[in-house]
């Protein structure tokens, strides 16, 4: 493989160096959550030991220092995704929190009975249910982009879904089940030609390839900290400034206000208007540390290495004749969803876990996609840049053992 410094990188993730059930751990469940680099763990540890204080509200030394670190974290995220201003970065609890924010605020301010929202068949429940709830409140409905047998979006059908009642398109950048990298620039271009805004769910994209929100021209972009080697409970919403200015706040509380009287409350400026209450400021600073770590390696190098890993795994997995793969798009991340013939995915997952190979099984929070393929679940192996070809081999060996055991 390429000259990627994989040995050093694995040392940066202490959790990887452990034995489970007597076997070295092969952690292939990165789509669910990623492991944490030492420098992020140490940054968070240092805050708890030496620096903790509430942000924005106090005049004391620690508080001012923490506020500075929090706002620097916002700038780090801004630069990481190429947003024009740091005030366009809103810290949330995760991709789910970000989508709920937009679906609520768009729903309250823009949706009327008879309006339509376009989603796709391959969405995570987080990008379905909040829109469904908004539609139920307002009497609007969902229109769904179909998925082809290869696991790609049917772009012709997408173009035909627009009507003069379409108010929003919300689709995933990369599928958490199929690995498909969607043609999101084209999706945005088509939506904009109909005067419709687009939210991109980057929960499975932003950790695998360089993302530039200005280049994508999307109206909103969301992702979760824990899937990009950062802490849990922190996430990001990016939005175009004029849209964020227009949207009403999602939650009320401290920090999001300008003036409060019992008669009327006026709201704070961006981004604070959308950050009610004490935010997960330590999580935000930890996230920034992880992003700085990724930038020090280079997202383009990470992407190249993961593509090599993807190609190797595709070759090896396709050599197992009893394995049916779901998601065979040429443009995909190193995410593999499959079923071994006559073996329930859960059994497969359980058996290979005993061989030290950690994967996920089930519907992957994408029940409509399972229904599309007429299945109840899959085994999913999701790789990232600290995984190795050796771990691909171990996965394949473990799957062959399952086939031997289960006949
Ligand atoms: N969107 C996609 C594509 C996902 O894969 C996930 C999580 O798996 C989410 C949204 C929700 O992320 P979180 O649970 O971190 O909010």
């Amino acid at each position: 493989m390429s000259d990627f410094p994989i040995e050093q990188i694995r040392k940066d993730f202490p959790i990887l160096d452990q034995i489970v059930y007597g076997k070295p751990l092969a952690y292939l469940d990165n789509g669910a959550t990623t492991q944490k680099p030492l420098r992020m763990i140490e940054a968070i540890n240092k805050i708890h030991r030496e620096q903790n204080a509430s942000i924005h509200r106090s005049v004391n030394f620690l508080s001012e220092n923490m506020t500075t670190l929090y706002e620097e974290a916002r700038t780090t995220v801004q630069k990481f995704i190429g947003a024009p201003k740091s005030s366009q970065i809103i810290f949330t609890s995760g991709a789910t929190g970000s989508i709920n924010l937009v679906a609520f605020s768009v729903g309250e301010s823009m949706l009327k009975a008879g309006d339509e929202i376009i989603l796709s068949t391959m969405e995570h429940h987080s990008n379905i249910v909040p829109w469904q709830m908004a539609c139920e409140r307002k009497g609007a409905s969902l229109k769904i982009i179909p998925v082809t047998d290869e696991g790609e979006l049917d772009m012709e059908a997408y173009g035909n879904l627009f009507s003069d009642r379409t108010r929003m398109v919300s689709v995933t950048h990369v599928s958490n089940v199929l690995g498909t990298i969607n043609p999101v620039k084209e999706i945005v271009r088509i939506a904009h030609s109909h005067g419709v805004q687009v939210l991109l769910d980057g929960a499975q994209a932003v950790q695998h390839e360089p993302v530039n929100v200005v280049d994508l021209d999307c109206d909103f972009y969301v992702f979760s900290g824990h899937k990009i080697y950062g802490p849990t409970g922190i996430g990001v919403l990016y939005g175009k400034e004029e849209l964020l200015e227009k949207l009403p706040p999602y939650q009320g509380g401290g920090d999001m206000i300008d003036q409060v009287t019992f008669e009327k409350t006026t709201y704070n400026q961006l981004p604070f208007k959308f950050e009610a209450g004490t935010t997960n400021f330590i999580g935000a600073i930890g996230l920034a540390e992880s992003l700085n770590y990724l930038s020090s390696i280079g997202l383009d190098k990470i992407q190249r290495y993961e593509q090599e890993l993807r190609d190797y795994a595709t070759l090896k997995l396709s050599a197992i004749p009893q394995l049916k793969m779901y998601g065979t798009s040429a443009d995909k991340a190193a995410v593999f969803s499959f079923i071994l013939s006559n073996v329930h995915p859960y059994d497969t997952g359980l058996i290979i876990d005993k061989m030290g190979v950690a994967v996920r099984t089930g519907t992957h929070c994408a029940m409509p996609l399972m229904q599309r393929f007429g299945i109840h679940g899959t085994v999913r192996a999701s790789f990232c840049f600290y995984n190795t070809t050796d771990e691909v081999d171990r996965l394949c060996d473990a799957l062959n053992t399952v086939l031997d055991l289960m006949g």
Side-chain angles (χ1 to χ4, degrees), residues 125-167:
H125 297 159
S126 294
N127 197 26
I128 300 174
V129 184
W131 295 109
Q132 209 162 35
M133 289 161 71
C135 286
E136 277 167 10
R137 281 199 305 275
K138 298 293 171 177
S141 62
L142 302 177
K143 298 278 160 193
I144 307 300
I145 312 168
V147 161
T148 66
D149 289 344
E150 292 72 34
E152 295 178 345
L153 293 181
D154 180 337
M155 290 298 283
E156 197 181 327
Y158 167 59
N160 292 332
L161 286 180
F162 286 87
S163 76
D164 58 1
R165 303 308 304 266
T166 311
R167 294 290 169 265

Side-chain angles (χ1 to χ4, degrees), residues 31-32 93-97 99 124 126-127 172 174-176 201 203-204 224 226-227 360 380:
S93 58
T96 303
I99 298 170
H124 188 282
S126 294
N127 197 26
T172 194
V174 173
S175 164
N176 64 314
D201 174 358
Q204 299 288 347
S224 290
H226 72 103
K227 291 184 195 284
R360 179 163 168 173
R380 183 187 70 185

Side-chain angles (χ1 to χ4, degrees), residues 158-288:
Y158 167 59
N160 292 332
L161 286 180
F162 286 87
S163 76
D164 58 1
R165 303 308 304 266
T166 311
R167 294 290 169 265
M168 190 83 193
V169 172
S170 190
V171 293
T172 194
H173 189 164
V174 173
S175 164
N176 64 314
V177 179
L178 308 164
T180 314
I181 302 171
N182 287 321
V184 282
K185 263 182 101 160
E186 181 64 1
I187 287 170
V188 171
R189 191 193 64 72
I190 292 170
H192 285 177
S193 74
H194 292 275
V196 174
Q197 298 163 17
V198 181
L199 180 148
L200 295 179
D201 174 358
Q204 299 288 347
V206 73
Q207 64 278 55
H208 298 305
E209 59 178 285
V211 165
N212 184 298
V213 290
V214 172
D215 181 50
L216 293 175
D217 198 24
C218 55
D219 301 284
F220 302 99
Y221 197 92
V222 309
F223 64 95
S224 290
H226 72 103
K227 291 184 195 284
I228 186 162
Y229 316 101
T232 42
I234 187 75
V236 169
L237 164 65
Y238 154 83
K240 284 190 176 159
E241 188 175 36
E242 65 277 17
L243 302 178
L244 291 176
E245 291 285 8
K246 271 195 220 140
L247 286 184
Y250 173 44
Q251 293 182 315
D255 238 20
M256 53 77 73
I257 53 90
D258 172 31
Q259 294 294 320
V260 180
T261 66
F262 283 116
E263 287 69 41
K264 184 164 176 58
T265 293
T266 53
Y267 302 124
N268 206 340
Q269 63 196 19
L270 289 175
F272 312 113
K273 181 173 96 172
F274 292 108
E275 292 183 356
T278 304
T279 57
N280 182 0
F281 54 90
I282 298 181
I285 297 164
L287 170 60

